[in-house]
Amino acid sequence: MAREKKKKILLLAPNRCPAVEEPLARARYRVVRTASGGMAVEHAKRDSFRAAVLISTSAEMDLSETALNLHDVAPSLEIIILVDRQPDQEIVAQSEAIVRAVPKSLILTHSDFNDYVASIARAKAGKERVSPKKPVEGRYDQPKR
C-alpha cells in the first residue's frame, strides 16, 4: 500500500509554537516553520503548501508585506493570521488590510484555529467540515467582504 503523502503547512513564527504545531500534526499535516517573512516567501517559491499560518509577535515582523509577498508567489495559498483574543490595534489594522487585499485569508484566534483544524480533520474522515467563513463564537470580528 502506498504511503499517504502529508500535506505541508508553512508556519511563520519566531519560536516553536506547540499550540499551533500539535493540532496540525494531529490532522496529519507536516509543519515547516520559519522565523522570518523572507524565508517564508522563499519556502513558498520552492515548495507547495496547503496554507500559511502567520503569527505576529513582534514589531519587526511586517505581517502585511509577508502576506502580500506570499500571495504574489503562491496565489492559491490560504493565509491564516493568528491573533490574540484581544489583539492590539496595530495587529488589528494590519490583519484587516490583509483580509481586504488577499482573497484567501482568514483571521483566527488560537482557539478558533484549533476548531478550524479539527474541522479539516473531520472532513478528511468523511464528516462535514465547518466553513471558516461562518462566524465562530468568540471569534475576532472580521471585516465583511
Side-chain angles (χ1 to χ4, degrees):
M1 181 189 301
R3 186 175 156 183
E4 179 185 324
K5 184 179 176 186
K6 284 189 176 183
K7 292 193 177 195
K8 290 179 270 191
I9 300 291
L10 181 58
L11 174 61
L12 175 57
N15 300 307
R16 190 173 179 299
C17 190
V20 174
E21 294 176 51
E22 290 170 6
L24 289 168
R26 282 193 302 272
R28 303 190 49 78
Y29 284 102
R30 190 173 133 235
V31 177
V32 176
R33 185 177 58 80
T34 183
S36 78
M39 284 305 300
V41 172
E42 288 304 313
H43 279 293
K45 285 180 183 176
R46 292 191 312 260
D47 212 344
S48 176
F49 293 91
R50 162 75 171 75
V53 178
L54 310 180
I55 304 173
S56 180
T57 58
S58 66
E60 295 93 40
M61 186 183 297
D62 187 344
L63 202 60
S64 300
E65 181 180 354
T66 300
L68 292 171
N69 288 339
L70 285 170
H71 179 66
D72 286 345
V73 300
S76 64
L77 183 67
E78 181 177 16
I79 297 175
I80 301 169
I81 303 160
L82 292 188
V83 297
D84 293 329
R85 190 157 295 280
Q86 298 295 322
D88 68 41
Q89 291 302 357
E90 183 178 337
I91 298 299
V92 170
Q94 276 190 346
S95 300
E96 289 173 348
I98 293 166
V99 168
R100 285 190 299 273
V102 179
K104 292 184 74 174
S105 60
L106 298 168
I107 303 170
L108 300 173
T109 63
H110 284 271
S111 64
D112 294 331
F113 175 76
N114 290 336
D115 294 343
Y116 182 56
V117 171
S119 74
I120 293 169
R122 285 192 303 273
K124 286 181 178 181
K127 297 178 178 143
E128 186 176 338
R129 179 177 169 190
V130 175
S131 169
K133 303 293 185 212
K134 293 180 183 174
V136 177
E137 186 176 328
R139 182 180 192 170
Y140 168 73
D141 291 331
Q142 294 191 32
K144 302 242 188 251
R145 293 187 196 206

